[in-house]
Amino acid sequence: MNTNPLGEEKIGTLLRKFAIPSIIAMLVSSLYNIVDQFFIGQSVGELGNAATNISFPLSISCIAIALLFGIGGASSFNIALGKGQTIPEEAEKAPNYIGNSITMLISCGIVLCLITEIFLDPLLVFFGSPDNVLPFAKTYTRIVAFGFPFLILATGGCHLIRADGRPKFAMFCNLAGAIINTILDALFVFGFHWGMAGAAAATVIGQAISGAMAIWMLLHGKNIFLKKSHFIPHGIFVKRIISLGAAPCSNQLAMMLVQIVMNKSLKYYGSLSIYGESIPIACAGIITKVNQVFMAFVIGISQGVQPIVSFNFGSGKYKRVKSAYLMAASYGFVLALIAFLLFQFAPRKIISLFGNGSDAYYSFAENYFRIFLFFTFLNFMQPITSNFFTAIGKPKGGIFLSLTRQIIFLLPLIVALPLFMGIDGIMYAGPVADFMAWLTAMAMVGYELHQPAYRGKTLNIEKSEVLK
């Protein structure tokens, strides 16, 4: 039997091999939003920036679906391969997880597109759009919605490609679409002066190319050999995929819910402040997407370590599992510290990249950067630890951790603190939630890694927690 490098090669080498392409893929994914924000900010201005923030919950929902079936399918596939080292029957099940995931990614993308087109106006109003922003948001979202199936397939498919041991191919898949999107953005927005519609059209074309590349690569796999039967959804496989993809999906859904409440709160409390309705929404949208660039590094690390952790956990090599997690967390901390310094000492320079604004606009943006993102240097812990629990086949722990920052801590604080502090309360909700989420993740992973198996002893694993 051939040995799998996931179980033998040095952890540092493996992590770099898988994490770097994953980070680049995540950065490229975040570039879709950043590039649109840049061109729209420079050509349309503040209202255009606010419009993309109003539409942002729908983009988050696409990522949620992609992670549900992408990471869920990848984790299931890798765990099955790992167990297949000793139980050949498990390896035979592995392709079903990939095929079922592809079917669900495409189907859910089409459904989300139709829902958005049918209920566009009420959705955007529900997301908190001010009246003067709504026309821009409608123009942008109506076009972008046609790209949802491609975005979901490209994002989720890249996780499946990475699980197949081809991280560079996953990176190229996203990179091609992002480069085309950037070129077309410049052409459509600055060259043809199509404004919001031009930025949206460029995004859809880039996503379509990435989606097509992803499906081609999955049909020509390295360790994946798909048949028609593998694409037929089966309850056993879909249930397992969803259980392992639920944690990262829940995190994205939590982000979407928080984004909606945030928009509504910024609109309401902004109208009671010197900033007005649109300035807080525009600034918060830009800063959220800038923060996503930092989070792309962290999430890229957590995704890169996933196949290493899953395979070695399935193979019973628990000391390698622990080493992989600790190394990923160390890299995450260094990156988080760099982001913290940038957000604290260069907020005006960052916000200026996305167009000019009034003194009130810059004042709010600088305060939001420095206060809301104060504990950025702790924000690496929650996503890495949440994905760690998912990767070892303990989805309940992963789901709980994925909800801590957004739902359990941040959402109540966004609602409560502004009652006493006005719009400043929204800003101070961020660091409090970040600290509490960090503390919870530290406690849970500390308990998990203290188990005897991670120190080379016998570990009693509940049968319900791992793939049978």
Side-chain angles (χ1 to χ4, degrees):
M1 181 182 296
N2 295 327
T3 58
N4 193 309
L6 289 171
E8 303 295 333
E9 200 168 332
K10 289 183 179 180
I11 296 296
T13 303
L14 286 170
L15 186 55
R16 287 188 292 273
K17 176 182 176 182
F18 282 88
I20 291 175
S22 180
I23 289 170
I24 294 174
M26 289 301 301
L27 282 172
V28 167
S29 180
S30 67
L31 277 178
Y32 279 107
N33 293 316
I34 287 289
V35 167
D36 278 0
Q37 199 81 58
F38 172 79
F39 285 103
I40 288 171
Q42 294 292 338
S43 62
V44 180
E46 178 186 307
L47 294 180
N49 280 331
T52 61
N53 193 33
I54 294 300
S55 178
F56 197 47
L58 289 169
S59 297
I60 298 175
S61 66
C62 289
I63 303 302
I65 295 170
L67 296 185
L68 177 65
F69 297 106
I71 289 182
S75 297
S76 302
F77 175 76
N78 286 132
I79 290 175
L81 285 185
K83 293 180 73 67
Q85 297 289 296
T86 53
I87 309 173
E89 292 80 6
E90 293 296 335
E92 294 176 4
K93 298 179 182 178
N96 289 283
Y97 294 115
I98 301 297
N100 277 224
S101 294
I102 294 171
T103 300
M104 298 306 296
L105 287 167
I106 296 173
S107 302
C108 290
I110 294 172
V111 170
L112 182 61
C113 172
L114 293 175
I115 291 173
T116 303
E117 295 293 346
I118 294 171
F119 301 104
L120 181 62
D121 280 32
L123 279 173
L124 295 177
V125 172
F126 176 71
F127 293 160
S129 177
D131 291 339
N132 60 343
V133 175
L134 186 59
F136 296 94
K138 287 173 61 177
T139 299
Y140 182 78
T141 309
R142 190 178 300 279
I143 298 172
V144 165
F146 287 106
F148 288 170
F150 303 113
L151 173 60
I152 291 170
L153 177 60
T155 305
C158 283
H159 293 289
L160 303 178
I161 295 168
R162 195 176 298 114
D164 188 38
R166 296 181 293 163
K168 290 183 180 179
F169 283 93
M171 176 185 70
F172 291 140
C173 177
N174 275 328
L175 189 58
I179 292 173
I180 290 170
N181 175 42
T182 303
I183 295 171
L184 293 180
D185 255 326
L187 178 63
F188 293 168
V189 177
F190 288 163
F192 297 162
H193 303 289
W194 290 350
M196 301 294 295
T203 297
V204 172
I205 294 171
Q207 290 167 349
I209 291 172
S210 289
M213 290 179 65
I215 197 69
W216 186 89
M217 291 177 187
L218 287 168
L219 294 176
H220 298 81
K222 177 182 177 183
N223 299 304
I224 304 172
F225 303 99
L226 297 175
K227 302 176 182 178
K228 289 183 180 180
S229 60
H230 296 146
F231 292 95
I232 301 173
H234 193 288
I236 294 176
F237 300 119
V238 173
K239 181 179 178 182
R240 180 62 179 175
I241 291 166
I242 291 175
S243 71
L244 293 184
C249 173
S250 299
N251 191 44
Q252 293 295 317
L253 292 176
M255 286 176 60
M256 181 177 72
L257 178 59
V258 169
Q259 186 71 38
I260 294 170
V261 175
M262 179 78 79
N263 285 345
K264 290 178 174 290
S265 297
L266 289 169
K267 176 185 175 183
Y268 176 75
Y269 290 104
S271 68
L272 302 178
S273 71
I274 62 172
Y275 305 112
E277 290 182 344
S278 61
I279 284 178
I281 293 176
C283 292
I286 293 171
I287 292 166
T288 296
K289 291 167 186 176
V290 170
N291 187 49
Q292 275 199 325
V293 174
F294 150 65
M295 292 304 297
F297 285 94
V298 176
I299 295 173
I301 290 172
S302 71
Q303 292 173 356
V305 80
Q306 175 267 316
I308 307 169
V309 168
S310 293
F311 183 89
N312 284 284
F313 190 85
S315 300
K317 298 178 179 180
Y318 303 112
K319 292 185 74 174
R320 286 177 61 83
V321 172
K322 180 178 181 179
S323 296
Y325 170 80
L326 293 177
M327 187 172 293
S330 298
Y331 289 160
F333 172 70
V334 172
L335 293 168
L337 187 59
I338 294 171
F340 166 78
L341 295 174
L342 287 173
F343 295 163
Q344 291 298 310
F345 295 106
R348 190 180 184 96
K349 291 182 179 179
I350 296 173
I351 202 73
S352 296
L353 295 172
F354 304 94
N356 297 320
S358 62
D359 290 340
Y361 174 86
Y362 284 116
S363 174
F364 184 85
E366 290 178 6
N367 287 335
Y368 198 90
F369 256 122
R370 291 190 173 118
I371 298 173
F372 192 82
L373 298 178
F374 180 78
F375 276 131
T376 296
F377 62 90
L378 300 180
N379 281 352
F380 70 95
M381 180 63 73
Q382 185 250 5
I384 290 177
T385 307
S386 174
N387 276 6
F388 169 74
F389 277 97
T390 297
I392 63 174
K394 297 186 177 182
K396 292 180 180 178
I399 292 171
F400 174 74
L401 278 174
S402 70
L403 296 176
T404 52
R405 197 261 181 186
Q406 303 288 342
I407 297 297
I408 298 175
F409 300 128
L410 183 58
L411 188 59
L413 289 168
I414 289 175
V415 174
L417 291 185
L419 297 174
F420 307 98
M421 304 172 66
I423 199 166
D424 287 347
I426 297 175
M427 294 190 238
Y428 283 99
V432 177
D434 289 341
F435 179 78
M436 295 303 296
W438 171 80
L439 202 61
T440 305
M442 284 286 290
M444 287 184 63
V445 78
Y447 178 81
E448 173 66 26
L449 295 182
H450 189 67
Q451 298 300 310
Y454 295 102
R455 302 194 302 273
K457 301 178 182 179
T458 302
L459 176 66
N460 294 322
I461 306 170
E462 294 183 9
K463 292 182 179 179
S464 61
E465 298 290 351
V466 296
L467 180 63
K468 295 182 180 179

